[in-house]
Coordinates of all heavy atoms in Angstrom, one line a residue:
L10 N -9.8 15.3 14.2 CA -11.2 15.4 14.5 C -11.7 16.8 14.7 O -11.2 17.5 15.5 CB -11.6 14.6 15.7 CG -11.1 13.1 15.7 CD1 -11.2 12.5 17.0 CD2 -11.8 12.4 14.6
A11 N -12.6 17.2 13.9 CA -13.2 18.6 14.0 C -14.1 18.5 15.2 O -14.6 17.5 15.6 CB -13.9 18.9 12.8
A12 N -14.3 19.7 15.8 CA -15.2 19.8 17.0 C -16.6 19.3 16.6 O -17.2 18.6 17.4 CB -15.3 21.2 17.4
A13 N -17.1 19.5 15.4 CA -18.4 19.1 15.0 C -18.5 17.5 15.0 O -19.5 17.0 15.4 CB -18.8 19.6 13.7
L14 N -17.4 16.9 14.6 CA -17.4 15.4 14.6 C -17.5 14.9 16.0 O -18.1 13.8 16.2 CB -16.1 15.0 13.9 CG -15.8 13.4 13.9 CD1 -16.8 12.8 13.0 CD2 -14.4 13.1 13.4
C15 N -16.9 15.5 16.9 CA -17.0 15.1 18.3 C -18.2 15.5 19.1 O -18.3 15.3 20.2 CB -15.7 15.5 19.1 SG -14.2 14.8 18.4
G16 N -19.1 16.1 18.4 CA -20.4 16.5 19.0 C -20.3 17.8 19.7 O -21.2 18.2 20.5
A17 N -19.2 18.6 19.6 CA -19.1 19.9 20.3 C -19.6 20.9 19.3 O -18.9 21.4 18.4 CB -17.7 20.1 20.7
G18 N -20.8 21.4 19.5 CA -21.4 22.4 18.7 C -20.8 23.8 19.0 O -20.5 24.1 20.2
A19 N -20.7 24.7 18.1 CA -20.3 26.0 18.3 C -21.2 27.0 17.6 O -21.7 26.7 16.5 CB -18.8 26.2 17.8
A20 N -21.4 28.1 18.2 CA -22.2 29.2 17.5 C -21.4 29.6 16.3 O -20.2 29.5 16.1 CB -22.4 30.3 18.5
V25 N -13.7 28.0 16.2 CA -13.6 26.6 16.6 C -12.1 26.3 16.8 O -11.3 26.6 16.0 CB -14.1 25.7 15.5 CG1 -13.9 24.2 15.8 CG2 -15.6 25.9 15.2
A28 N -8.5 21.2 16.0 CA -8.7 19.8 16.5 C -7.4 19.1 16.8 O -6.4 19.3 16.0 CB -9.5 19.0 15.5
V60 N -7.9 11.3 21.1 CA -8.3 12.6 20.4 C -9.7 13.0 20.8 O -10.0 14.2 21.0 CB -8.1 12.4 18.9 CG1 -8.7 13.6 18.2 CG2 -6.7 12.3 18.5
C61 N -10.6 12.0 21.0 CA -12.0 12.3 21.3 C -12.2 12.5 22.8 O -13.3 12.9 23.3 CB -12.9 11.2 20.9 SG -13.0 11.0 19.1
G62 N -11.1 12.3 23.6 CA -11.2 12.6 25.1 C -11.8 11.5 25.9 O -12.2 11.7 27.0
R68 N -16.6 11.2 33.4 CA -17.4 12.3 33.0 C -18.9 12.0 33.0 O -19.2 10.8 33.1 CB -16.9 12.8 31.7 CG -17.0 11.7 30.6 CD -16.5 12.1 29.3 NE -15.2 12.7 29.3 CZ -14.7 13.3 28.3 NH1 -15.4 13.5 27.2 NH2 -13.5 13.8 28.3
E71 N -23.7 11.8 29.4 CA -24.0 12.5 28.0 C -22.6 12.8 27.3 O -22.5 12.5 26.2 CB -24.8 13.7 28.2 CG -25.2 14.4 26.9 CD -26.1 15.6 27.1 OE1 -27.1 15.4 27.7 OE2 -25.7 16.7 26.7
E72 N -21.7 13.2 28.1 CA -20.3 13.5 27.5 C -19.6 12.2 27.1 O -19.0 12.2 26.1 CB -19.5 14.3 28.5 CG -19.9 15.7 28.7 CD -19.1 16.5 29.7 OE1 -17.9 16.1 29.9 OE2 -19.5 17.5 30.3
R73 N -19.8 11.2 27.9 CA -19.1 9.9 27.6 C -19.7 9.3 26.3 O -19.0 8.8 25.5 CB -19.3 9.0 28.8 CG -18.6 7.6 28.4 CD -18.5 6.7 29.7 NE -17.9 5.5 29.3 CZ -16.6 5.2 29.1 NH1 -15.8 6.2 29.2 NH2 -16.2 4.0 28.8
L74 N -21.1 9.4 26.2 CA -21.7 8.9 25.0 C -21.3 9.7 23.8 O -21.1 9.1 22.7 CB -23.2 8.9 25.2 CG -23.8 7.9 26.2 CD1 -25.3 8.2 26.4 CD2 -23.5 6.5 25.9
A75 N -21.1 11.0 23.9 CA -20.7 11.8 22.8 C -19.2 11.4 22.4 O -18.9 11.3 21.2 CB -20.8 13.3 23.1
A76 N -18.4 11.2 23.4 CA -17.0 10.8 23.1 C -16.9 9.4 22.5 O -16.2 9.2 21.5 CB -16.2 10.8 24.4
E77 N -17.8 8.5 22.9 CA -17.8 7.1 22.3 C -18.3 7.2 20.9 O -17.7 6.5 20.0 CB -18.7 6.2 23.1 CG -18.1 5.8 24.4 CD -19.1 5.0 25.3 OE1 -20.2 4.7 24.9 OE2 -18.6 4.5 26.4
A78 N -19.3 8.1 20.6 CA -19.8 8.2 19.2 C -18.6 8.8 18.3 O -18.4 8.4 17.2 CB -21.0 9.1 19.2
C79 N -17.9 9.8 18.9 CA -16.7 10.4 18.2 C -15.7 9.3 17.9 O -15.2 9.2 16.7 CB -16.1 11.4 19.1 SG -14.6 12.2 18.5
V80 N -15.4 8.4 18.8 CA -14.4 7.3 18.5 C -14.9 6.4 17.4 O -14.2 6.1 16.5 CB -14.2 6.5 19.8 CG1 -13.4 5.2 19.5 CG2 -13.4 7.3 20.9
N81 N -16.2 6.0 17.5 CA -16.7 5.1 16.5 C -16.8 5.7 15.2 O -16.4 5.0 14.2 CB -18.1 4.6 17.0 CG -18.1 3.7 18.2 OD1 -17.1 3.1 18.5 ND2 -19.2 3.7 18.9
E82 N -17.2 6.9 15.1 CA -17.3 7.6 13.8 C -15.9 7.8 13.2 O -15.6 7.6 12.0 CB -18.0 8.9 13.9 CG -18.2 9.6 12.5 CD -19.2 10.7 12.6 OE1 -19.9 10.9 13.5 OE2 -19.1 11.6 11.6
S83 N -14.9 8.2 14.1 CA -13.6 8.4 13.6 C -12.9 7.1 13.1 O -12.3 7.1 12.0 CB -12.7 9.0 14.8 OG -13.3 10.2 15.2
R114 N -18.4 6.4 7.1 CA -18.9 7.5 6.1 C -18.7 7.0 4.7 O -17.8 6.4 4.3 CB -18.1 8.7 6.3 CG -18.5 9.5 7.5 CD -17.8 10.7 7.6 NE -18.4 11.5 8.7 CZ -18.2 12.8 8.8 NH1 -17.5 13.5 8.0 NH2 -18.8 13.4 9.8

Side-chain angles (χ1 to χ4, degrees):
L10 306 169
L14 178 67
C15 293
V25 177
V60 172
C61 293
R68 54 179 58 195
E71 186 174 302
E72 288 179 22
R73 179 166 178 82
L74 292 175
E77 287 175 358
C79 174
V80 169
N81 292 334
E82 187 170 338
S83 300
R114 286 183 169 198

